[in-house]
Amino acid sequence: MGFSDFITLFFLVAAVLIFFQLRSVLGRRTGNEKPPFDPYSPRDAVKGPVADDNKVVTLPKRSEGDDENRFAEADALAPVDTPLNAALREVMTRDPSFGPKEFLNGARMAYEMIVMGFADGDRKTLKNLLSKEVFDGFEAAISEREGRGEVVKSTFVGIEKADITQASVRDSEVQITLRIVSQLISATYDKDGKLVDGDPDAVAEVDDIWTFSRDIRSRDPNWKLIATESEQ
């Protein structure tokens, strides 16, 4: 027997041994085997776990203080039993996603974007943040300024104070009014570069009353500025 015949015989013996080992493990029928899968056979309905009527899962009860805790942010901004507190609670009830603290943070950012957007003549930014009526007024003022060849150079220093002063829900429209005190450096130059308004070296205090609105039925979560006035 040559060397190659010995190798062939070795592999044949090994194959036979492996076959019997596999058969001893996989070839036994235990009675628990699943039938072959037939894609065209009718399927039994999927059965869920059978409920035990004697087993009842008791959900934790809402404590008596939960409702009050839900209005903690409103209570922190306005004393309980005041008209503003009652109005904020109504808004939070009608719109569970509304949080006074989060709203104030967003209003601060929107205020800066609007003030700087107006100074820079950024109509695109303003259009996303203003109601149509307010945008039309801002756009007209920007166009008049551009028509005169004037340029505004502004630096937003910061917001000193921002407080909610009024809140209401009318049908599905929520309105929140704020008093915002900010600091701004602003100077307006004519087409010849001459200063015509403001002071580039002075920080001015600006006191504004702004009202934001949102339709709680809308999928759009953004608020829009619907009214502005300056506190004298």
Side-chain angles (χ1 to χ4, degrees):
M1 178 182 295
F3 180 75
S4 61
D5 293 333
F6 174 78
I7 294 297
T8 301
L9 179 61
F10 172 80
F11 280 111
L12 285 174
V13 173
V16 171
L17 290 174
I18 292 173
F19 170 76
F20 279 106
Q21 287 178 349
L22 289 174
R23 187 174 185 277
S24 66
V25 175
L26 303 177
R28 298 174 185 170
R29 300 185 64 84
T30 64
N32 296 322
E33 296 83 11
K34 293 182 180 179
F37 175 72
D38 181 358
Y40 300 102
S41 64
R43 299 285 181 270
D44 291 335
V46 177
K47 298 179 181 179
V50 178
D52 186 344
D53 293 337
N54 294 324
K55 295 180 180 179
V56 178
V57 178
T58 304
L59 296 176
K61 295 181 179 180
R62 180 188 293 272
S63 66
E64 294 181 357
D66 281 352
D67 286 337
E68 294 304 316
N69 291 336
R70 185 160 62 95
F71 298 121
E73 288 189 22
D75 298 346
L77 294 176
V80 179
D81 296 330
T82 61
L84 178 57
N85 182 276
L88 288 173
R89 285 178 174 233
E90 182 183 4
V91 172
M92 296 174 74
T93 299
R94 294 283 302 277
D95 182 8
S97 67
F98 175 78
K101 185 182 296 185
E102 183 180 0
F103 171 81
L104 279 173
N105 290 336
R108 284 171 171 266
M109 290 188 289
Y111 180 86
E112 180 178 353
M113 292 174 65
I114 292 170
V115 168
M116 295 308 297
F118 177 73
D120 297 337
D122 186 353
R123 293 174 173 83
K124 183 177 180 180
T125 294
L126 294 174
K127 195 168 187 177
N128 292 328
L129 297 170
L130 311 180
S131 68
K132 184 181 184 306
E133 293 76 11
V134 175
F135 174 78
D136 288 345
F138 276 45
E139 202 279 332
I142 292 172
S143 295
E144 290 178 6
R145 188 176 69 205
E146 292 174 342
R148 295 191 297 267
E150 295 177 349
V151 175
V152 177
K153 295 183 179 180
S154 295
T155 300
F156 190 84
V157 178
I159 294 177
E160 183 178 320
K161 191 176 183 181
D163 295 320
I164 296 176
T165 59
Q166 292 181 4
S168 65
V169 184
R170 299 173 183 173
D171 295 328
S172 63
E173 183 185 19
V174 177
Q175 293 187 7
I176 306 291
T177 300
L178 302 92
R179 177 174 179 249
I180 303 174
V181 180
S182 64
Q183 294 180 329
L184 184 72
I185 300 174
S186 182
T188 303
Y189 300 88
D190 64 15
K191 59 183 178 180
D192 297 321
K194 181 181 178 181
L195 180 67
V196 294
D197 190 29
D199 187 339
D201 300 317
V203 177
E205 184 174 280
V206 182
D207 200 338
D208 285 319
I209 304 295
W210 284 16
T211 300
F212 291 88
S213 175
R214 188 176 82 84
D215 187 343
I216 59 178
R217 293 180 304 185
S218 173
R219 292 183 178 180
D220 184 359
N222 295 321
W223 295 74
K224 289 187 180 292
L225 179 65
I226 63 170
T228 66
E229 61 178 290
S230 295
E231 187 80 355
Q232 300 297 330

